[in-house]
Amino acid sequence: MDPAALGPIPPNVEVHAHVPQLAVLRRARVFVTPAGMGSTMESLYFGVPMVAVPQMAEQWQRRPHRRGRRCHGGGGRGGEGA
């Protein structure tokens, strides 16, 4: 995708065709993820809170609050199917 197709990019946002996910997670404060098993495990390993946006049925089962866990401060919330 051509970054120009995204329209105006705010100055505090970077757009890249590819990023080294593990290197980024080491510095991240939050991780927006489709909640695949790999991304979920990596987020847990680095202690990075997740905003899970599942794309497939099996990913809905991996959302942390499905198993009684909540985001930092107890603010975890589920969407459809929670």
Side-chain angles (χ1 to χ4, degrees):
M1 170 182 266
D2 179 9
L6 298 173
I9 306 296
N12 62 335
V13 173
E14 295 181 24
V15 176
H16 302 276
H18 179 314
V19 294
Q21 182 167 297
L22 297 180
V24 172
L25 275 174
R26 286 184 183 100
R27 299 178 32 197
R29 287 187 241 161
V30 68
F31 184 26
V32 178
T33 172
M37 181 58 90
S39 296
T40 298
M41 297 305 291
E42 292 163 357
S43 183
L44 292 170
Y45 178 82
F46 287 106
V48 178
M50 292 176 273
V51 174
V53 184
Q55 303 297 309
M56 301 175 64
E58 56 97 14
Q59 294 166 332
W60 281 98
Q61 299 304 315
R62 251 185 235 114
R63 296 174 299 159
H65 67 274
R66 288 286 293 185
R67 297 194 184 118
R69 291 180 235 156
R70 297 277 181 184
C71 297
H72 294 285
R77 293 190 54 177
E80 181 181 324

